[in-house]
Short mmCIF file of all heavy atoms in Angstrom, two decimals:
data_model
loop_
_atom_site.label_atom_id
_atom_site.label_comp_id
_atom_site.label_asym_id
_atom_site.label_seq_id
_atom_site.Cartn_x
_atom_site.Cartn_y
_atom_site.Cartn_z
N GLY A 1 33.13 -63.26 16.08
CA GLY A 1 32.07 -63.40 17.06
C GLY A 1 32.62 -63.60 18.44
O GLY A 1 33.81 -63.39 18.70
N LEU A 2 31.74 -64.00 19.34
CA LEU A 2 32.09 -64.25 20.74
C LEU A 2 32.16 -65.75 20.96
O LEU A 2 31.22 -66.49 20.59
CB LEU A 2 31.02 -63.63 21.65
CG LEU A 2 31.13 -63.93 23.14
CD1 LEU A 2 32.42 -63.36 23.72
CD2 LEU A 2 29.91 -63.36 23.87
N VAL A 3 33.24 -66.20 21.56
CA VAL A 3 33.42 -67.63 21.79
C VAL A 3 34.12 -67.82 23.14
O VAL A 3 34.86 -66.94 23.59
CB VAL A 3 34.25 -68.26 20.64
CG1 VAL A 3 35.64 -67.69 20.59
CG2 VAL A 3 34.26 -69.76 20.73
N GLN A 4 33.87 -68.93 23.77
CA GLN A 4 34.52 -69.24 25.03
C GLN A 4 35.94 -69.74 24.78
O GLN A 4 36.24 -70.29 23.70
CB GLN A 4 33.73 -70.28 25.81
CG GLN A 4 32.43 -69.76 26.38
CD GLN A 4 31.77 -70.77 27.31
OE1 GLN A 4 31.95 -71.97 27.16
NE2 GLN A 4 31.00 -70.27 28.28
N ALA A 5 36.78 -69.58 25.77
CA ALA A 5 38.15 -70.09 25.67
C ALA A 5 38.12 -71.58 25.34
O ALA A 5 37.30 -72.34 25.87
CB ALA A 5 38.89 -69.86 26.99
N GLY A 6 38.99 -71.97 24.42
CA GLY A 6 39.02 -73.34 23.95
C GLY A 6 38.17 -73.59 22.72
O GLY A 6 38.26 -74.66 22.10
N GLY A 7 37.37 -72.61 22.37
CA GLY A 7 36.47 -72.76 21.23
C GLY A 7 37.14 -72.49 19.90
O GLY A 7 38.36 -72.26 19.82
N SER A 8 36.33 -72.52 18.84
CA SER A 8 36.84 -72.37 17.48
C SER A 8 36.02 -71.37 16.70
O SER A 8 34.83 -71.16 16.98
CB SER A 8 36.75 -73.73 16.76
OG SER A 8 37.46 -74.72 17.44
N LEU A 9 36.66 -70.75 15.74
CA LEU A 9 35.99 -69.88 14.78
C LEU A 9 36.72 -70.01 13.44
O LEU A 9 37.91 -70.32 13.41
CB LEU A 9 36.06 -68.41 15.21
CG LEU A 9 35.13 -67.92 16.31
CD1 LEU A 9 35.48 -66.48 16.66
CD2 LEU A 9 33.68 -68.02 15.89
N ARG A 10 35.99 -69.76 12.36
CA ARG A 10 36.61 -69.68 11.04
C ARG A 10 36.29 -68.35 10.42
O ARG A 10 35.11 -68.02 10.23
CB ARG A 10 36.16 -70.81 10.12
CG ARG A 10 36.98 -70.85 8.82
CD ARG A 10 36.64 -71.98 7.91
NE ARG A 10 35.47 -71.72 7.09
CZ ARG A 10 35.24 -72.29 5.91
NH1 ARG A 10 36.13 -73.15 5.41
NH2 ARG A 10 34.12 -72.02 5.24
N LEU A 11 37.31 -67.60 10.11
CA LEU A 11 37.15 -66.32 9.44
C LEU A 11 37.28 -66.51 7.94
O LEU A 11 38.06 -67.33 7.48
CB LEU A 11 38.20 -65.32 9.92
CG LEU A 11 38.31 -65.10 11.43
CD1 LEU A 11 39.35 -64.03 11.72
CD2 LEU A 11 36.97 -64.74 12.03
N SER A 12 36.52 -65.72 7.20
CA SER A 12 36.59 -65.74 5.74
C SER A 12 36.83 -64.32 5.23
O SER A 12 36.40 -63.35 5.86
CB SER A 12 35.28 -66.28 5.15
OG SER A 12 35.01 -67.58 5.57
N CYS A 13 37.47 -64.24 4.08
CA CYS A 13 37.71 -62.94 3.46
C CYS A 13 37.57 -63.11 1.95
O CYS A 13 38.33 -63.86 1.34
CB CYS A 13 39.10 -62.43 3.81
SG CYS A 13 39.61 -60.94 2.91
N VAL A 14 36.59 -62.44 1.39
CA VAL A 14 36.34 -62.49 -0.04
C VAL A 14 36.95 -61.27 -0.71
O VAL A 14 36.73 -60.14 -0.26
CB VAL A 14 34.83 -62.57 -0.34
CG1 VAL A 14 34.60 -62.63 -1.84
CG2 VAL A 14 34.21 -63.78 0.34
N VAL A 15 37.68 -61.51 -1.78
CA VAL A 15 38.40 -60.44 -2.48
C VAL A 15 37.76 -60.19 -3.84
O VAL A 15 37.38 -61.13 -4.54
CB VAL A 15 39.88 -60.81 -2.66
CG1 VAL A 15 40.63 -59.73 -3.44
CG2 VAL A 15 40.53 -61.05 -1.31
N SER A 16 37.66 -58.94 -4.21
CA SER A 16 37.18 -58.57 -5.55
C SER A 16 38.02 -57.43 -6.08
O SER A 16 38.72 -56.75 -5.34
CB SER A 16 35.71 -58.17 -5.50
OG SER A 16 35.52 -57.04 -4.67
N GLY A 17 37.96 -57.26 -7.41
CA GLY A 17 38.63 -56.11 -8.02
C GLY A 17 40.07 -56.33 -8.41
O GLY A 17 40.75 -55.39 -8.83
N THR A 18 40.57 -57.56 -8.28
CA THR A 18 41.94 -57.84 -8.66
C THR A 18 42.08 -59.33 -8.96
O THR A 18 41.17 -60.12 -8.70
CB THR A 18 42.92 -57.43 -7.55
OG1 THR A 18 44.26 -57.54 -8.05
CG2 THR A 18 42.79 -58.32 -6.32
N ILE A 19 43.24 -59.69 -9.51
CA ILE A 19 43.50 -61.11 -9.78
C ILE A 19 43.97 -61.74 -8.48
O ILE A 19 45.12 -61.56 -8.06
CB ILE A 19 44.55 -61.27 -10.88
CG1 ILE A 19 44.08 -60.55 -12.16
CG2 ILE A 19 44.79 -62.75 -11.15
CD1 ILE A 19 45.12 -60.53 -13.27
N PHE A 20 43.09 -62.48 -7.84
CA PHE A 20 43.34 -63.00 -6.50
C PHE A 20 44.50 -63.99 -6.47
O PHE A 20 45.36 -63.94 -5.59
CB PHE A 20 42.06 -63.67 -5.99
CG PHE A 20 42.20 -64.35 -4.65
CD1 PHE A 20 42.20 -63.60 -3.49
CD2 PHE A 20 42.31 -65.73 -4.57
CE1 PHE A 20 42.32 -64.22 -2.25
CE2 PHE A 20 42.43 -66.36 -3.34
CZ PHE A 20 42.43 -65.60 -2.17
N SER A 21 44.55 -64.90 -7.44
CA SER A 21 45.43 -66.06 -7.35
C SER A 21 46.92 -65.71 -7.33
O SER A 21 47.74 -66.49 -6.85
CB SER A 21 45.15 -67.02 -8.51
OG SER A 21 45.37 -66.38 -9.74
N VAL A 22 47.30 -64.55 -7.86
CA VAL A 22 48.73 -64.24 -7.96
C VAL A 22 49.26 -63.52 -6.73
O VAL A 22 50.46 -63.29 -6.61
CB VAL A 22 49.02 -63.38 -9.21
CG1 VAL A 22 48.57 -64.10 -10.47
CG2 VAL A 22 48.36 -62.01 -9.12
N ASN A 23 48.36 -63.15 -5.84
CA ASN A 23 48.78 -62.35 -4.69
C ASN A 23 48.87 -63.17 -3.41
O ASN A 23 48.06 -64.06 -3.17
CB ASN A 23 47.77 -61.22 -4.45
CG ASN A 23 47.85 -60.16 -5.53
OD1 ASN A 23 48.84 -59.45 -5.65
ND2 ASN A 23 46.81 -60.06 -6.34
N ALA A 24 49.85 -62.82 -2.59
CA ALA A 24 49.88 -63.37 -1.24
C ALA A 24 48.78 -62.70 -0.43
O ALA A 24 48.37 -61.58 -0.72
CB ALA A 24 51.24 -63.11 -0.60
N MET A 25 48.31 -63.43 0.57
CA MET A 25 47.25 -62.93 1.45
C MET A 25 47.70 -63.09 2.90
O MET A 25 48.51 -63.96 3.22
CB MET A 25 45.96 -63.71 1.24
CG MET A 25 45.37 -63.60 -0.15
SD MET A 25 44.80 -61.93 -0.55
CE MET A 25 43.59 -61.65 0.74
N GLY A 26 47.13 -62.26 3.75
CA GLY A 26 47.49 -62.36 5.16
C GLY A 26 46.33 -62.04 6.08
O GLY A 26 45.35 -61.42 5.66
N TRP A 27 46.46 -62.50 7.29
CA TRP A 27 45.56 -62.11 8.38
C TRP A 27 46.38 -61.40 9.43
O TRP A 27 47.47 -61.87 9.82
CB TRP A 27 44.87 -63.32 9.00
CG TRP A 27 43.77 -63.90 8.16
CD1 TRP A 27 43.87 -64.97 7.32
CD2 TRP A 27 42.43 -63.45 8.08
NE1 TRP A 27 42.65 -65.20 6.71
CE2 TRP A 27 41.75 -64.27 7.17
CE3 TRP A 27 41.71 -62.41 8.70
CZ2 TRP A 27 40.40 -64.12 6.86
CZ3 TRP A 27 40.37 -62.25 8.40
CH2 TRP A 27 39.73 -63.08 7.48
N TYR A 28 45.88 -60.27 9.88
CA TYR A 28 46.50 -59.48 10.94
C TYR A 28 45.45 -59.29 12.03
O TYR A 28 44.26 -59.50 11.80
CB TYR A 28 46.93 -58.11 10.41
CG TYR A 28 48.06 -58.14 9.41
CD1 TYR A 28 47.85 -58.61 8.12
CD2 TYR A 28 49.33 -57.68 9.75
CE1 TYR A 28 48.89 -58.63 7.20
CE2 TYR A 28 50.37 -57.70 8.83
CZ TYR A 28 50.13 -58.18 7.56
OH TYR A 28 51.16 -58.20 6.64
N ARG A 29 45.90 -58.85 13.20
CA ARG A 29 44.95 -58.55 14.27
C ARG A 29 45.44 -57.36 15.08
O ARG A 29 46.64 -57.10 15.15
CB ARG A 29 44.71 -59.75 15.17
CG ARG A 29 45.91 -60.19 16.00
CD ARG A 29 45.60 -61.48 16.74
NE ARG A 29 46.72 -61.91 17.57
CZ ARG A 29 46.75 -63.09 18.21
NH1 ARG A 29 45.73 -63.93 18.12
NH2 ARG A 29 47.81 -63.40 18.95
N GLN A 30 44.48 -56.68 15.69
CA GLN A 30 44.81 -55.54 16.53
C GLN A 30 43.94 -55.58 17.78
O GLN A 30 42.71 -55.47 17.67
CB GLN A 30 44.61 -54.23 15.78
CG GLN A 30 45.10 -53.01 16.54
CD GLN A 30 45.21 -51.78 15.66
OE1 GLN A 30 44.62 -51.71 14.58
NE2 GLN A 30 45.97 -50.80 16.10
N ALA A 31 44.59 -55.74 18.90
CA ALA A 31 43.91 -55.72 20.19
C ALA A 31 43.86 -54.28 20.70
O ALA A 31 44.67 -53.45 20.31
CB ALA A 31 44.63 -56.61 21.18
N PRO A 32 42.91 -53.98 21.60
CA PRO A 32 42.80 -52.61 22.13
C PRO A 32 44.11 -52.14 22.75
O PRO A 32 44.72 -52.86 23.55
CB PRO A 32 41.70 -52.75 23.19
CG PRO A 32 40.89 -53.90 22.73
CD PRO A 32 41.85 -54.86 22.10
N GLY A 33 44.55 -50.96 22.34
CA GLY A 33 45.77 -50.39 22.90
C GLY A 33 47.06 -50.98 22.38
O GLY A 33 48.14 -50.61 22.86
N LYS A 34 46.96 -51.87 21.40
CA LYS A 34 48.16 -52.51 20.86
C LYS A 34 48.28 -52.25 19.36
O LYS A 34 47.32 -51.89 18.69
CB LYS A 34 48.13 -54.02 21.13
CG LYS A 34 48.20 -54.38 22.59
CD LYS A 34 48.35 -55.88 22.77
CE LYS A 34 48.48 -56.25 24.23
NZ LYS A 34 48.67 -57.71 24.42
#
């Protein structure tokens, strides 16, 4: 979402179709032009 500088957000990611507990997980990001 949209938040002001200094603010907070919590992202969630729900996984299906595999055994979740045995896998490593990650968060990545991509800014425009990067």
Side-chain angles (χ1 to χ4, degrees):
L2 173 63
V3 64
Q4 288 188 332
S8 303
L9 283 174
R10 189 176 82 154
L11 306 183
S12 300
C13 172
V14 180
V15 178
S16 61
T18 189
I19 302 174
F20 176 78
S21 60
V22 302
N23 289 293
M25 298 294 301
W27 285 97
Y28 292 72
R29 67 186 181 187
Q30 187 166 18
K34 295 188 177 181

